[in-house]
Amino acid sequence: DCLDVLADKQAIPDESVDLIYLDPPFNSKSKYNLPFKGKLRKDAKPVEAFNDTWSWNEFETEELNRLKMNANTKPIADVIEFARMANNEYKPSKKISDGAYLLNMSLRLLEMKKALKRTGSIYLHCDPTMSHYLKLVMDIIFGKKCFRNEIVWGYTGPGTKKAHQFNRKHDIIFWYSKSSKSKEWCFNSEAIRIEHDEKTRDNFKEDLIGSGFIRTPTALSEDGKIPETWWVQKKGNGLAIAARQKYQYLGYPTQKPLALLERIIKASSNEGDLILDPFCGCGTAIHAAEKLKRRWIGIDISTFSAGLMRERIISNFKNISAKDIRVVGVPLDVVGAKQLAKKDPFEFEKWVCGVIGAHGMFHEPGTRGSDGGVDGVINFGLYKGMEEKVEPSFALVQVKGGKVTPDSVRALTHSVQHFQAKAGIMVCFEDYMGTVENNRLKGTFGDLTGKYPVIQGFSIECLLKDERPNLPPLLVRGDAKMVA
């Protein structure tokens, strides 16, 4: 939870961060599932990434009273109570709470302000569901004079045939600076210029030519113009939703495009600055930060996200290895891994799938049906010939936090054959690797890069040493192109 990390001043000291970007839950009153793509989609069962539904409990009552006791935070409590009244939340039958969402966001935004340098900025990504309330809270916490821009990110996407209103295809991004003094905040206007559109260039030419009288047009900069506060998807500008950019898309339910984060980071930070994303998801903000030579911290409450973020950075930046990235809050040794497997098998499986590089989760642990014991999928490429394109393929991943039986190994073999995968990987503790070896199918497959086992065991101990299963080069997504 980013609140725990932000409150830890050893982890993030006060006034240490140059730029904060957050893409938190939007209070959409929906459940979002972990990604899953490929041939197995119809057989996959949804695995919850996070539940964006909020309810009012004792914790919220206590925290609201605490805000009321402080003169500086009482206005926040007033906004929260107003939101609760507007949503009729004081009725006993009301289960969903806008006020609970707003309170939880406020507590985190208060800590984010402490972490931000005086010269720093914060960009809050939201949508019209709660943007009006969040704007009030941001005005109170950061100050109305520190409001810089309301940015509208517009995009296209499929609509409904029987809609009774306009299609909702935009998000809101609020930019606040920590300081209200003019020009004390960072804004690199030259770094974010965009090309003038063809119509503007043609009109400028007409002004220069004139039509019988002298014109004095303003010169067009060869470097382009500073973007307006509406950032609209256009061909080639990278601002389409991530799901429509196949070489970027990791399948994460709320993934944002890399170009969006690059523009924000270029505008409001410099090389070497520290970027913080407290709701990091699949790591687009830290990917953009690393690409632009900034330092970064990403926080997410999901163990799957933590593994996915690290794998994304390692895969996309060859100069960075696993030892260069410090991960806090997930197992770091066998004892910690076994404790997690015993305490929460679901989180254990999510952690393993994230770290091993599985792009998605296949089913919720403990459910029965046609899942065949498959927990995730790793995508890789087969090189059949020097002149031929890479043939995409995949391996199935099964995770066992406890005992491995001969039947479970045989079930993985069956799933590999049933789903026409090239390989299957049984991930378990070293104690059970012998069972896997004695019962696995001994066949191999291969390409120009070598020969690989159809079924293999892979230990948690090896995972903790940052080793990887014996597979062909992985197909890496997350940037502008797919690389092996």
Side-chain angles (χ1 to χ4, degrees), residues 19 258 261-262 265-266 269-277 283-298 313 317 320:
L19 172 63
L258 196 61
L261 274 300
E262 287 180 358
I265 291 171
K266 284 179 182 177
S269 69
N270 299 304
E271 288 189 11
D273 282 354
L274 180 59
I275 314 299
L276 169 65
D277 185 347
T284 302
I286 65 173
H287 184 148
E290 180 63 37
K291 187 175 180 181
L292 297 171
K293 299 180 180 179
R294 273 68 165 172
R295 296 175 297 127
W296 47 263
I297 300 173
I313 295 296
F317 300 96
I320 298 178

PDB file of all heavy atoms in Angstrom, residues 19 258 261-262 265-266 269-277 283-298 313 317 320:
ATOM      1  N   LEU A  19       8.966  14.707  -9.134  1.00  0.00           N
ATOM      2  CA  LEU A  19       7.724  14.612  -9.896  1.00  0.00           C
ATOM      3  C   LEU A  19       6.943  13.384  -9.464  1.00  0.00           C
ATOM      4  O   LEU A  19       7.505  12.286  -9.357  1.00  0.00           O
ATOM      5  CB  LEU A  19       8.032  14.516 -11.398  1.00  0.00           C
ATOM      6  CG  LEU A  19       6.858  14.212 -12.335  1.00  0.00           C
ATOM      7  CD1 LEU A  19       5.817  15.333 -12.280  1.00  0.00           C
ATOM      8  CD2 LEU A  19       7.343  14.005 -13.764  1.00  0.00           C
ATOM      9  N   LEU A 258       2.847   4.720 -23.350  1.00  0.00           N
ATOM     10  CA  LEU A 258       4.168   5.223 -22.977  1.00  0.00           C
ATOM     11  C   LEU A 258       4.337   6.690 -23.359  1.00  0.00           C
ATOM     12  O   LEU A 258       4.923   7.480 -22.603  1.00  0.00           O
ATOM     13  CB  LEU A 258       5.241   4.371 -23.652  1.00  0.00           C
ATOM     14  CG  LEU A 258       6.666   4.472 -23.121  1.00  0.00           C
ATOM     15  CD1 LEU A 258       6.747   4.037 -21.665  1.00  0.00           C
ATOM     16  CD2 LEU A 258       7.606   3.617 -23.972  1.00  0.00           C
ATOM     17  N   LEU A 261       3.122   9.240 -20.734  1.00  0.00           N
ATOM     18  CA  LEU A 261       4.020   9.427 -19.587  1.00  0.00           C
ATOM     19  C   LEU A 261       5.305  10.134 -19.993  1.00  0.00           C
ATOM     20  O   LEU A 261       5.859  10.923 -19.216  1.00  0.00           O
ATOM     21  CB  LEU A 261       4.325   8.085 -18.941  1.00  0.00           C
ATOM     22  CG  LEU A 261       3.331   7.584 -17.884  1.00  0.00           C
ATOM     23  CD1 LEU A 261       3.251   8.586 -16.728  1.00  0.00           C
ATOM     24  CD2 LEU A 261       1.940   7.369 -18.441  1.00  0.00           C
ATOM     25  N   GLU A 262       5.783   9.863 -21.190  1.00  0.00           N
ATOM     26  CA  GLU A 262       7.000  10.534 -21.654  1.00  0.00           C
ATOM     27  C   GLU A 262       6.781  12.035 -21.742  1.00  0.00           C
ATOM     28  O   GLU A 262       7.656  12.829 -21.374  1.00  0.00           O
ATOM     29  CB  GLU A 262       7.429   9.978 -23.009  1.00  0.00           C
ATOM     30  CG  GLU A 262       8.022   8.584 -22.931  1.00  0.00           C
ATOM     31  CD  GLU A 262       8.447   8.052 -24.298  1.00  0.00           C
ATOM     32  OE1 GLU A 262       8.246   8.771 -25.303  1.00  0.00           O
ATOM     33  OE2 GLU A 262       8.984   6.933 -24.354  1.00  0.00           O
ATOM     34  N   ILE A 265       6.755  13.488 -18.121  1.00  0.00           N
ATOM     35  CA  ILE A 265       8.074  13.436 -17.483  1.00  0.00           C
ATOM     36  C   ILE A 265       9.036  14.413 -18.139  1.00  0.00           C
ATOM     37  O   ILE A 265       9.821  15.093 -17.456  1.00  0.00           O
ATOM     38  CB  ILE A 265       8.612  11.995 -17.505  1.00  0.00           C
ATOM     39  CG1 ILE A 265       7.769  11.114 -16.566  1.00  0.00           C
ATOM     40  CG2 ILE A 265      10.082  11.942 -17.099  1.00  0.00           C
ATOM     41  CD1 ILE A 265       8.051   9.636 -16.666  1.00  0.00           C
ATOM     42  N   LYS A 266       8.989  14.516 -19.464  1.00  0.00           N
ATOM     43  CA  LYS A 266       9.835  15.500 -20.149  1.00  0.00           C
ATOM     44  C   LYS A 266       9.491  16.914 -19.726  1.00  0.00           C
ATOM     45  O   LYS A 266      10.368  17.759 -19.535  1.00  0.00           O
ATOM     46  CB  LYS A 266       9.665  15.376 -21.663  1.00  0.00           C
ATOM     47  CG  LYS A 266      10.354  14.195 -22.304  1.00  0.00           C
ATOM     48  CD  LYS A 266      10.078  14.185 -23.803  1.00  0.00           C
ATOM     49  CE  LYS A 266      10.712  12.997 -24.501  1.00  0.00           C
ATOM     50  NZ  LYS A 266      10.371  12.985 -25.956  1.00  0.00           N
ATOM     51  N   SER A 269      10.311  17.458 -15.394  1.00  0.00           N
ATOM     52  CA  SER A 269      11.497  16.954 -14.694  1.00  0.00           C
ATOM     53  C   SER A 269      12.703  17.029 -15.610  1.00  0.00           C
ATOM     54  O   SER A 269      12.568  17.248 -16.819  1.00  0.00           O
ATOM     55  CB  SER A 269      11.289  15.504 -14.227  1.00  0.00           C
ATOM     56  OG  SER A 269      11.250  14.617 -15.333  1.00  0.00           O
ATOM     57  N   ASN A 270      13.869  16.836 -15.023  1.00  0.00           N
ATOM     58  CA  ASN A 270      15.121  16.831 -15.772  1.00  0.00           C
ATOM     59  C   ASN A 270      15.849  15.510 -15.568  1.00  0.00           C
ATOM     60  O   ASN A 270      15.521  14.746 -14.651  1.00  0.00           O
ATOM     61  CB  ASN A 270      16.015  17.984 -15.301  1.00  0.00           C
ATOM     62  CG  ASN A 270      15.371  19.339 -15.530  1.00  0.00           C
ATOM     63  OD1 ASN A 270      14.998  19.682 -16.646  1.00  0.00           O
ATOM     64  ND2 ASN A 270      15.212  20.110 -14.455  1.00  0.00           N
ATOM     65  N   GLU A 271      16.820  15.239 -16.411  1.00  0.00           N
ATOM     66  CA  GLU A 271      17.607  14.020 -16.258  1.00  0.00           C
ATOM     67  C   GLU A 271      18.195  13.949 -14.853  1.00  0.00           C
ATOM     68  O   GLU A 271      18.697  14.938 -14.323  1.00  0.00           O
ATOM     69  CB  GLU A 271      18.731  13.965 -17.298  1.00  0.00           C
ATOM     70  CG  GLU A 271      18.247  13.689 -18.703  1.00  0.00           C
ATOM     71  CD  GLU A 271      19.395  13.416 -19.669  1.00  0.00           C
ATOM     72  OE1 GLU A 271      20.533  13.237 -19.205  1.00  0.00           O
ATOM     73  OE2 GLU A 271      19.139  13.372 -20.896  1.00  0.00           O
ATOM     74  N   GLY A 272      18.116  12.759 -14.259  1.00  0.00           N
ATOM     75  CA  GLY A 272      18.629  12.557 -12.898  1.00  0.00           C
ATOM     76  C   GLY A 272      17.616  12.827 -11.807  1.00  0.00           C
ATOM     77  O   GLY A 272      17.849  12.472 -10.650  1.00  0.00           O
ATOM     78  N   ASP A 273      16.472  13.456 -12.138  1.00  0.00           N
ATOM     79  CA  ASP A 273      15.442  13.727 -11.140  1.00  0.00           C
ATOM     80  C   ASP A 273      14.777  12.426 -10.695  1.00  0.00           C
ATOM     81  O   ASP A 273      14.839  11.398 -11.387  1.00  0.00           O
ATOM     82  CB  ASP A 273      14.377  14.666 -11.706  1.00  0.00           C
ATOM     83  CG  ASP A 273      14.838  16.125 -11.724  1.00  0.00           C
ATOM     84  OD1 ASP A 273      15.928  16.406 -11.187  1.00  0.00           O
ATOM     85  OD2 ASP A 273      14.097  16.975 -12.262  1.00  0.00           O
ATOM     86  N   LEU A 274      14.111  12.501  -9.539  1.00  0.00           N
ATOM     87  CA  LEU A 274      13.433  11.327  -8.976  1.00  0.00           C
ATOM     88  C   LEU A 274      11.944  11.390  -9.281  1.00  0.00           C
ATOM     89  O   LEU A 274      11.257  12.351  -8.924  1.00  0.00           O
ATOM     90  CB  LEU A 274      13.653  11.263  -7.462  1.00  0.00           C
ATOM     91  CG  LEU A 274      12.991  10.091  -6.724  1.00  0.00           C
ATOM     92  CD1 LEU A 274      13.466   8.758  -7.270  1.00  0.00           C
ATOM     93  CD2 LEU A 274      13.254  10.190  -5.220  1.00  0.00           C
ATOM     94  N   ILE A 275      11.445  10.333  -9.952  1.00  0.00           N
ATOM     95  CA  ILE A 275      10.039  10.234 -10.317  1.00  0.00           C
ATOM     96  C   ILE A 275       9.377   9.187  -9.433  1.00  0.00           C
ATOM     97  O   ILE A 275       9.920   8.111  -9.215  1.00  0.00           O
ATOM     98  CB  ILE A 275       9.883   9.804 -11.803  1.00  0.00           C
ATOM     99  CG1 ILE A 275      10.819  10.599 -12.714  1.00  0.00           C
ATOM    100  CG2 ILE A 275       8.422   9.918 -12.238  1.00  0.00           C
ATOM    101  CD1 ILE A 275      10.586  12.094 -12.708  1.00  0.00           C
ATOM    102  N   LEU A 276       8.184   9.484  -8.940  1.00  0.00           N
ATOM    103  CA  LEU A 276       7.439   8.564  -8.092  1.00  0.00           C
ATOM    104  C   LEU A 276       6.073   8.283  -8.701  1.00  0.00           C
ATOM    105  O   LEU A 276       5.338   9.201  -9.055  1.00  0.00           O
ATOM    106  CB  LEU A 276       7.254   9.152  -6.687  1.00  0.00           C
ATOM    107  CG  LEU A 276       6.272   8.419  -5.754  1.00  0.00           C
ATOM    108  CD1 LEU A 276       6.766   7.024  -5.429  1.00  0.00           C
ATOM    109  CD2 LEU A 276       6.035   9.224  -4.481  1.00  0.00           C
ATOM    110  N   ASP A 277       5.738   6.999  -8.821  1.00  0.00           N
ATOM    111  CA  ASP A 277       4.389   6.576  -9.201  1.00  0.00           C
ATOM    112  C   ASP A 277       3.853   5.694  -8.082  1.00  0.00           C
ATOM    113  O   ASP A 277       4.263   4.545  -7.939  1.00  0.00           O
ATOM    114  CB  ASP A 277       4.407   5.809 -10.525  1.00  0.00           C
ATOM    115  CG  ASP A 277       2.991   5.458 -11.000  1.00  0.00           C
ATOM    116  OD1 ASP A 277       2.051   5.581 -10.195  1.00  0.00           O
ATOM    117  OD2 ASP A 277       2.842   5.065 -12.168  1.00  0.00           O
ATOM    118  N   GLY A 283       3.779  -0.547 -14.654  1.00  0.00           N
ATOM    119  CA  GLY A 283       5.076   0.114 -14.693  1.00  0.00           C
ATOM    120  C   GLY A 283       5.343   1.035 -15.869  1.00  0.00           C
ATOM    121  O   GLY A 283       6.503   1.295 -16.185  1.00  0.00           O
ATOM    122  N   THR A 284       4.323   1.589 -16.508  1.00  0.00           N
ATOM    123  CA  THR A 284       4.558   2.473 -17.652  1.00  0.00           C
ATOM    124  C   THR A 284       5.320   3.725 -17.233  1.00  0.00           C
ATOM    125  O   THR A 284       6.206   4.193 -17.959  1.00  0.00           O
ATOM    126  CB  THR A 284       3.229   2.855 -18.319  1.00  0.00           C
ATOM    127  OG1 THR A 284       2.552   1.668 -18.732  1.00  0.00           O
ATOM    128  CG2 THR A 284       3.463   3.730 -19.534  1.00  0.00           C
ATOM    129  N   ALA A 285       4.998   4.288 -16.073  1.00  0.00           N
ATOM    130  CA  ALA A 285       5.672   5.514 -15.624  1.00  0.00           C
ATOM    131  C   ALA A 285       7.156   5.272 -15.358  1.00  0.00           C
ATOM    132  O   ALA A 285       8.005   6.079 -15.749  1.00  0.00           O
ATOM    133  CB  ALA A 285       4.996   6.066 -14.369  1.00  0.00           C
ATOM    134  N   ILE A 286       7.489   4.150 -14.714  1.00  0.00           N
ATOM    135  CA  ILE A 286       8.902   3.907 -14.430  1.00  0.00           C
ATOM    136  C   ILE A 286       9.651   3.506 -15.706  1.00  0.00           C
ATOM    137  O   ILE A 286      10.837   3.782 -15.846  1.00  0.00           O
ATOM    138  CB  ILE A 286       9.088   2.867 -13.310  1.00  0.00           C
ATOM    139  CG1 ILE A 286       8.571   1.488 -13.718  1.00  0.00           C
ATOM    140  CG2 ILE A 286       8.415   3.339 -12.034  1.00  0.00           C
ATOM    141  CD1 ILE A 286       8.888   0.400 -12.706  1.00  0.00           C
ATOM    142  N   HIS A 287       8.950   2.880 -16.648  1.00  0.00           N
ATOM    143  CA  HIS A 287       9.546   2.572 -17.947  1.00  0.00           C
ATOM    144  C   HIS A 287       9.925   3.874 -18.649  1.00  0.00           C
ATOM    145  O   HIS A 287      11.044   4.024 -19.149  1.00  0.00           O
ATOM    146  CB  HIS A 287       8.543   1.778 -18.785  1.00  0.00           C
ATOM    147  CG  HIS A 287       9.074   1.313 -20.103  1.00  0.00           C
ATOM    148  ND1 HIS A 287       8.660   0.139 -20.695  1.00  0.00           N
ATOM    149  CD2 HIS A 287       9.971   1.848 -20.973  1.00  0.00           C
ATOM    150  CE1 HIS A 287       9.281  -0.020 -21.853  1.00  0.00           C
ATOM    151  NE2 HIS A 287      10.072   1.015 -22.040  1.00  0.00           N
ATOM    152  N   ALA A 288       8.990   4.824 -18.685  1.00  0.00           N
ATOM    153  CA  ALA A 288       9.266   6.113 -19.320  1.00  0.00           C
ATOM    154  C   ALA A 288      10.379   6.858 -18.594  1.00  0.00           C
ATOM    155  O   ALA A 288      11.246   7.471 -19.218  1.00  0.00           O
ATOM    156  CB  ALA A 288       7.995   6.959 -19.350  1.00  0.00           C
ATOM    157  N   ALA A 289      10.380   6.786 -17.261  1.00  0.00           N
ATOM    158  CA  ALA A 289      11.408   7.460 -16.478  1.00  0.00           C
ATOM    159  C   ALA A 289      12.800   6.900 -16.768  1.00  0.00           C
ATOM    160  O   ALA A 289      13.765   7.643 -16.945  1.00  0.00           O
ATOM    161  CB  ALA A 289      11.090   7.345 -14.984  1.00  0.00           C
ATOM    162  N   GLU A 290      12.896   5.577 -16.816  1.00  0.00           N
ATOM    163  CA  GLU A 290      14.192   4.948 -17.121  1.00  0.00           C
ATOM    164  C   GLU A 290      14.644   5.311 -18.529  1.00  0.00           C
ATOM    165  O   GLU A 290      15.828   5.612 -18.766  1.00  0.00           O
ATOM    166  CB  GLU A 290      14.061   3.433 -16.973  1.00  0.00           C
ATOM    167  CG  GLU A 290      15.343   2.662 -17.252  1.00  0.00           C
ATOM    168  CD  GLU A 290      16.465   2.998 -16.292  1.00  0.00           C
ATOM    169  OE1 GLU A 290      16.199   3.213 -15.085  1.00  0.00           O
ATOM    170  OE2 GLU A 290      17.631   3.056 -16.738  1.00  0.00           O
ATOM    171  N   LYS A 291      13.720   5.302 -19.460  1.00  0.00           N
ATOM    172  CA  LYS A 291      14.034   5.643 -20.850  1.00  0.00           C
ATOM    173  C   LYS A 291      14.551   7.068 -20.976  1.00  0.00           C
ATOM    174  O   LYS A 291      15.430   7.365 -21.796  1.00  0.00           O
ATOM    175  CB  LYS A 291      12.772   5.458 -21.703  1.00  0.00           C
ATOM    176  CG  LYS A 291      12.975   5.607 -23.190  1.00  0.00           C
ATOM    177  CD  LYS A 291      11.684   5.288 -23.930  1.00  0.00           C
ATOM    178  CE  LYS A 291      11.857   5.440 -25.438  1.00  0.00           C
ATOM    179  NZ  LYS A 291      10.585   5.141 -26.151  1.00  0.00           N
ATOM    180  N   LEU A 292      14.039   7.973 -20.126  1.00  0.00           N
ATOM    181  CA  LEU A 292      14.416   9.388 -20.178  1.00  0.00           C
ATOM    182  C   LEU A 292      15.503   9.733 -19.166  1.00  0.00           C
ATOM    183  O   LEU A 292      15.721  10.900 -18.856  1.00  0.00           O
ATOM    184  CB  LEU A 292      13.168  10.251 -19.947  1.00  0.00           C
ATOM    185  CG  LEU A 292      12.084  10.109 -21.019  1.00  0.00           C
ATOM    186  CD1 LEU A 292      10.806  10.835 -20.592  1.00  0.00           C
ATOM    187  CD2 LEU A 292      12.580  10.640 -22.357  1.00  0.00           C
ATOM    188  N   LYS A 293      16.170   8.719 -18.612  1.00  0.00           N
ATOM    189  CA  LYS A 293      17.322   8.892 -17.726  1.00  0.00           C
ATOM    190  C   LYS A 293      16.967   9.612 -16.429  1.00  0.00           C
ATOM    191  O   LYS A 293      17.709  10.449 -15.939  1.00  0.00           O
ATOM    192  CB  LYS A 293      18.457   9.625 -18.453  1.00  0.00           C
ATOM    193  CG  LYS A 293      18.957   8.867 -19.682  1.00  0.00           C
ATOM    194  CD  LYS A 293      20.081   9.619 -20.389  1.00  0.00           C
ATOM    195  CE  LYS A 293      20.560   8.837 -21.607  1.00  0.00           C
ATOM    196  NZ  LYS A 293      21.631   9.536 -22.340  1.00  0.00           N
ATOM    197  N   ARG A 294      15.826   9.261 -15.873  1.00  0.00           N
ATOM    198  CA  ARG A 294      15.444   9.716 -14.543  1.00  0.00           C
ATOM    199  C   ARG A 294      15.569   8.556 -13.553  1.00  0.00           C
ATOM    200  O   ARG A 294      15.569   7.399 -13.941  1.00  0.00           O
ATOM    201  CB  ARG A 294      13.992  10.202 -14.529  1.00  0.00           C
ATOM    202  CG  ARG A 294      13.753  11.659 -14.911  1.00  0.00           C
ATOM    203  CD  ARG A 294      14.036  11.971 -16.337  1.00  0.00           C
ATOM    204  NE  ARG A 294      13.478  13.262 -16.743  1.00  0.00           N
ATOM    205  CZ  ARG A 294      13.712  13.838 -17.901  1.00  0.00           C
ATOM    206  NH1 ARG A 294      14.501  13.250 -18.797  1.00  0.00           N
ATOM    207  NH2 ARG A 294      13.178  15.011 -18.203  1.00  0.00           N
ATOM    208  N   ARG A 295      15.690   8.882 -12.291  1.00  0.00           N
ATOM    209  CA  ARG A 295      15.599   7.882 -11.233  1.00  0.00           C
ATOM    210  C   ARG A 295      14.117   7.682 -10.914  1.00  0.00           C
ATOM    211  O   ARG A 295      13.303   8.546 -11.204  1.00  0.00           O
ATOM    212  CB  ARG A 295      16.360   8.339  -9.990  1.00  0.00           C
ATOM    213  CG  ARG A 295      17.875   8.499 -10.224  1.00  0.00           C
ATOM    214  CD  ARG A 295      18.572   9.068  -8.995  1.00  0.00           C
ATOM    215  NE  ARG A 295      18.087  10.412  -8.699  1.00  0.00           N
ATOM    216  CZ  ARG A 295      17.620  10.806  -7.514  1.00  0.00           C
ATOM    217  NH1 ARG A 295      17.550   9.944  -6.514  1.00  0.00           N
ATOM    218  NH2 ARG A 295      17.216  12.036  -7.327  1.00  0.00           N
ATOM    219  N   TRP A 296      13.760   6.553 -10.317  1.00  0.00           N
ATOM    220  CA  TRP A 296      12.335   6.302 -10.138  1.00  0.00           C
ATOM    221  C   TRP A 296      12.050   5.373  -8.963  1.00  0.00           C
ATOM    222  O   TRP A 296      12.886   4.589  -8.537  1.00  0.00           O
ATOM    223  CB  TRP A 296      11.725   5.707 -11.412  1.00  0.00           C
ATOM    224  CG  TRP A 296      12.525   4.577 -12.025  1.00  0.00           C
ATOM    225  CD1 TRP A 296      13.423   4.680 -13.044  1.00  0.00           C
ATOM    226  CD2 TRP A 296      12.521   3.198 -11.629  1.00  0.00           C
ATOM    227  NE1 TRP A 296      13.964   3.446 -13.320  1.00  0.00           N
ATOM    228  CE2 TRP A 296      13.427   2.518 -12.484  1.00  0.00           C
ATOM    229  CE3 TRP A 296      11.818   2.480 -10.670  1.00  0.00           C
ATOM    230  CZ2 TRP A 296      13.652   1.152 -12.374  1.00  0.00           C
ATOM    231  CZ3 TRP A 296      12.050   1.118 -10.557  1.00  0.00           C
ATOM    232  CH2 TRP A 296      12.964   0.471 -11.417  1.00  0.00           C
ATOM    233  N   ILE A 297      10.823   5.507  -8.455  1.00  0.00           N
ATOM    234  CA  ILE A 297      10.249   4.594  -7.461  1.00  0.00           C
ATOM    235  C   ILE A 297       8.839   4.267  -7.915  1.00  0.00           C
ATOM    236  O   ILE A 297       8.051   5.167  -8.215  1.00  0.00           O
ATOM    237  CB  ILE A 297      10.192   5.225  -6.053  1.00  0.00           C
ATOM    238  CG1 ILE A 297      11.590   5.598  -5.554  1.00  0.00           C
ATOM    239  CG2 ILE A 297       9.506   4.280  -5.068  1.00  0.00           C
ATOM    240  CD1 ILE A 297      11.567   6.383  -4.253  1.00  0.00           C
ATOM    241  N   GLY A 298       8.517   2.989  -7.985  1.00  0.00           N
ATOM    242  CA  GLY A 298       7.156   2.564  -8.308  1.00  0.00           C
ATOM    243  C   GLY A 298       6.592   1.765  -7.154  1.00  0.00           C
ATOM    244  O   GLY A 298       7.283   0.946  -6.559  1.00  0.00           O
ATOM    245  N   ILE A 313      11.271  -3.783 -16.878  1.00  0.00           N
ATOM    246  CA  ILE A 313      12.482  -2.950 -16.937  1.00  0.00           C
ATOM    247  C   ILE A 313      13.685  -3.770 -17.379  1.00  0.00           C
ATOM    248  O   ILE A 313      14.452  -3.359 -18.254  1.00  0.00           O
ATOM    249  CB  ILE A 313      12.751  -2.295 -15.560  1.00  0.00           C
ATOM    250  CG1 ILE A 313      11.631  -1.307 -15.212  1.00  0.00           C
ATOM    251  CG2 ILE A 313      14.102  -1.585 -15.557  1.00  0.00           C
ATOM    252  CD1 ILE A 313      11.520  -0.130 -16.145  1.00  0.00           C
ATOM    253  N   PHE A 317      15.599  -2.870 -20.980  1.00  0.00           N
ATOM    254  CA  PHE A 317      16.852  -2.115 -20.832  1.00  0.00           C
ATOM    255  C   PHE A 317      17.978  -3.093 -20.532  1.00  0.00           C
ATOM    256  O   PHE A 317      18.101  -3.596 -19.423  1.00  0.00           O
ATOM    257  CB  PHE A 317      16.714  -1.066 -19.728  1.00  0.00           C
ATOM    258  CG  PHE A 317      15.635  -0.062 -19.995  1.00  0.00           C
ATOM    259  CD1 PHE A 317      14.373  -0.218 -19.446  1.00  0.00           C
ATOM    260  CD2 PHE A 317      15.865   1.029 -20.822  1.00  0.00           C
ATOM    261  CE1 PHE A 317      13.358   0.690 -19.705  1.00  0.00           C
ATOM    262  CE2 PHE A 317      14.858   1.944 -21.084  1.00  0.00           C
ATOM    263  CZ  PHE A 317      13.602   1.777 -20.531  1.00  0.00           C
ATOM    264  N   ILE A 320      20.440  -2.967 -17.517  1.00  0.00           N
ATOM    265  CA  ILE A 320      19.929  -3.153 -16.157  1.00  0.00           C
ATOM    266  C   ILE A 320      19.681  -4.633 -15.913  1.00  0.00           C
ATOM    267  O   ILE A 320      19.048  -5.309 -16.722  1.00  0.00           O
ATOM    268  CB  ILE A 320      18.619  -2.370 -15.948  1.00  0.00           C
ATOM    269  CG1 ILE A 320      18.870  -0.870 -16.115  1.00  0.00           C
ATOM    270  CG2 ILE A 320      18.035  -2.648 -14.563  1.00  0.00           C
ATOM    271  CD1 ILE A 320      17.620  -0.040 -15.970  1.00  0.00           C
TER     272      ILE A 320
END
